[in-house]
Amino acid sequence: MEGREGGQLELCWVLEATESADSGIGDVDDLPVPQQIRISNITCDSFKISWDVPDSRGRERITHYFIDLNKKENEKENKFKHKEIPTKLVAKAVPLPMTVRGHWFLSPRTEYTVSVQTAAKQPDGEYAVSPWSEIIEFCTADYSAVHLNQLLQKAEAIAGRMLPFTVFYRNQQKEYFQQASPSYRSRDAQCCRMLPSVKDNSGSHGSPISGKLQGVFFSCNTEFNTGKPPQDSPYGPYRFQIQADVLFNQNTNVYFGDFYCMYTSYHYVILVLAPVGSDGDAFCSGRLPALDRSNNCFLRCSEESNGSLSFCHAQDVILEVIYTEPVDLSLGTVEKISGQQLLSQSTVNAKKDPSCKICNISVGR
C-alpha cells in the first residue's frame, strides 16, 4: 500500500491482538474522532480515504491512523478472521486523502466496511487512541482495462494453434427448443428466437461482464480428429447449430471478456461477439479489450480471395462465445446429439481457481 498527495504513507499489518489498539494507554479523550469519512477513486484493489479531524487540544498529538477494514458479509468489528488476512491497518499520519492499496486483502466487486481511529504513539511503543469513527460501506470496482489486458496476455500465451470450424452451436434440454416456459426466460413466447440473458457470475470475480452483459451463449470448439463439434455436452442433449458467418462476419466486433479455470487443467476464454453499433457493442467498447477479428489468438474470421469467409478457433482453450443479440431458430437446425450430458463440465456459476498461476493476475481472482 502507498500514500499519495502530500506525503509518504507507511501502512503496516497489525497482526497482534486487537487490544493493542483498543485499550491503548494515555489520555484517550484528548484525541479527536475522525468525522465525515469519504471514500473515492475506487478501483478493484485500491481506494482513497479521507476524513475531517475536528479542532481539539489533542489534534497536534496525532502520529498515526488506525484503519479497520472488513468484508461486509463477515463484519466483525475489530476482529481478525485469519492471521494471514489482516483487517486493521496502521498508518503514519500524513496529509489526506491517502491511498489504500493491496490485492492481498482487497478483492474486486466486494463490499467492505471501514472505520478509522486517530492514535498517538507513546514513548514505550504503545498507542493512545480515539474512539472509532462511524462505519462507512463501499464496494470495490471491476477489473480495469489495464487488468483485462494483463488477463488477455496470459490467455494468449496458452491459446495454441488455430483449427478451422464452420458452425457455432448451443446445447439445451429438449423443452428449451419446443416451447416457452418459465424455466427458460431466454426464449420468447412465440418460441422462434433465443433471447439474450444476463451472464452469470462464473469466471473471474472482477470481470465487468458478469451479472451485467446480456447475450446468448455459444460454443465453437471442434474435436481434433474429426474437425466437428464434440458429441458430448454439459448443457443438454439437443443442439442448435448455425453457420458461423451468420453470427461472425465483417459487421461483427469481437471482444475479450475473461480467462479462467475451475480447479482443472482446462482453461476457458470468454469472447463477446457484438454486431457493430448494437447495444452490446456499446457496452463492450468502453469496458473490454477489442480484438482484431481476422488476427487474434482465439477466434478468427478471414475473407478469402473469392469473397467467402473462413473461421478458426484456438485449440488449447475452451471458448465460450456470447452473442449479444437475439438469434432466430429458423437460421439454424436443432438435432439430438449422440453423446452424454457431462454435468461435471458445466461452467454455470463456476468459481475460478484463485491459486492457478496460469490464469490469475495480481488483483484478486
Side-chain angles (χ1 to χ4, degrees):
M1 294 181 295
E2 57 187 289
R4 311 276 182 185
E5 300 189 14
Q8 177 91 22
L9 169 63
E10 180 181 323
L11 292 178
C12 59
W13 296 0
V14 183
L15 299 180
E16 61 270 19
T18 58
E19 284 78 13
S20 63
D22 298 337
S23 58
I25 61 175
D27 187 356
V28 177
D29 293 336
D30 277 350
L31 295 173
V33 179
Q35 298 178 0
Q36 301 296 319
I37 310 299
R38 297 178 293 277
I39 304 293
S40 62
N41 296 83
I42 300 171
T43 72
C44 63
D45 65 347
S46 69
F47 62 92
K48 286 188 177 181
I49 184 170
S50 62
W51 55 84
D52 297 333
V53 178
D55 292 328
S56 74
R57 63 189 181 92
R59 182 173 182 174
E60 68 280 359
R61 296 180 52 235
I62 298 173
T63 61
H64 290 76
Y65 303 127
F66 286 0
I67 302 173
D68 190 43
L69 182 68
N70 291 278
K71 285 187 177 181
K72 185 177 178 182
E73 61 268 29
N74 295 317
E75 184 178 347
K76 298 287 185 181
E77 186 177 0
N78 304 332
K79 300 291 184 182
F80 293 103
K81 296 179 286 296
H82 192 286
K83 66 180 180 179
E84 295 180 356
I85 307 176
T87 59
K88 189 176 295 180
L89 310 166
V90 57
K92 284 185 176 179
V94 296
L96 300 176
M98 65 174 66
T99 298
V100 178
R101 184 187 308 277
H103 66 265
W104 53 90
F105 60 84
L106 283 172
S107 297
R109 280 191 171 199
T110 303
E111 292 184 325
Y112 290 92
T113 63
V114 63
S115 56
V116 185
Q117 283 177 314
T118 58
K121 193 169 186 178
Q122 307 297 299
D124 60 2
E126 294 292 336
Y127 291 91
V129 296
S130 73
W132 285 102
S133 71
E134 62 179 328
I135 296 175
I136 298 297
E137 299 179 359
F138 71 99
C139 184
T140 48
D142 299 333
Y143 285 161
S144 69
V146 171
H147 301 125
L148 285 171
N149 276 294
Q150 292 174 2
L151 206 59
L152 169 60
Q153 292 172 10
K154 280 182 165 283
E156 290 173 335
I158 71 159
R161 69 178 183 138
M162 305 296 286
L163 298 177
F165 77 99
T166 59
V167 297
F168 290 103
Y169 55 93
R170 172 178 172 84
N171 278 67
Q172 282 285 351
Q173 299 299 321
K174 183 178 181 179
E175 293 76 18
Y176 175 86
F177 298 110
Q178 287 186 330
Q179 61 188 11
S181 166
S183 300
Y184 299 110
R185 295 180 180 176
S186 55
R187 290 298 314 281
D188 62 0
Q190 290 73 37
C191 198
C192 61
R193 294 189 306 165
M194 296 181 290
L195 302 179
S197 58
V198 177
K199 184 196 172 298
D200 64 13
N201 289 315
S202 60
S204 300
H205 193 53
S207 174
I209 63 176
S210 293
K212 296 181 180 178
L213 178 67
Q214 296 191 45
V216 183
F217 278 77
F218 287 92
S219 300
C220 64
N221 288 81
T222 57
E223 293 181 322
F224 174 76
N225 56 339
T226 67
K228 297 180 180 180
Q231 283 299 304
D232 299 319
S233 171
Y235 303 110
Y238 283 80
R239 174 173 293 166
F240 172 78
Q241 286 192 172
I242 187 169
Q243 291 298 307
D245 62 348
V246 178
L247 304 184
F248 192 22
N249 51 59
Q250 304 298 344
N251 293 315
T252 312
N253 284 329
V254 55
Y255 297 91
F256 171 80
D258 200 4
F259 177 45
Y260 70 100
C261 71
M262 303 182 299
Y263 301 90
T264 68
S265 59
Y266 300 109
H267 278 84
Y268 298 81
V269 170
I270 298 179
L271 302 177
V272 182
L273 296 182
V276 174
S278 64
D279 289 344
D281 191 33
F283 177 93
C284 295
S285 63
R287 295 174 174 85
L288 304 179
L291 303 179
D292 185 328
R293 70 172 64 89
S294 63
N295 184 25
N296 67 79
C297 294
F298 312 110
L299 188 69
R300 295 178 187 171
C301 170
S302 302
E303 185 172 356
E304 303 298 327
S305 57
N306 62 0
S308 64
L309 299 178
S310 61
F311 303 88
C312 294
H313 71 82
Q315 174 184 356
D316 294 340
V317 292
I318 299 174
L319 296 180
E320 296 182 309
V321 179
I322 303 176
Y323 186 73
T324 62
E325 303 304 305
V327 178
D328 197 313
L329 285 172
S330 66
L331 297 176
T333 60
V334 178
E335 295 181 355
K336 186 175 182 180
I337 59 175
S338 59
Q340 300 178 348
Q341 185 173 351
L342 306 176
L343 295 176
S344 62
Q345 294 182 11
S346 171
T347 62
V348 175
N349 286 314
K351 300 304 179 184
K352 181 175 182 175
D353 178 1
S355 65
C356 179
K357 295 181 179 180
I358 295 176
C359 61
N360 280 284
I361 55 177
S362 60
V363 286
R365 294 173 295 150

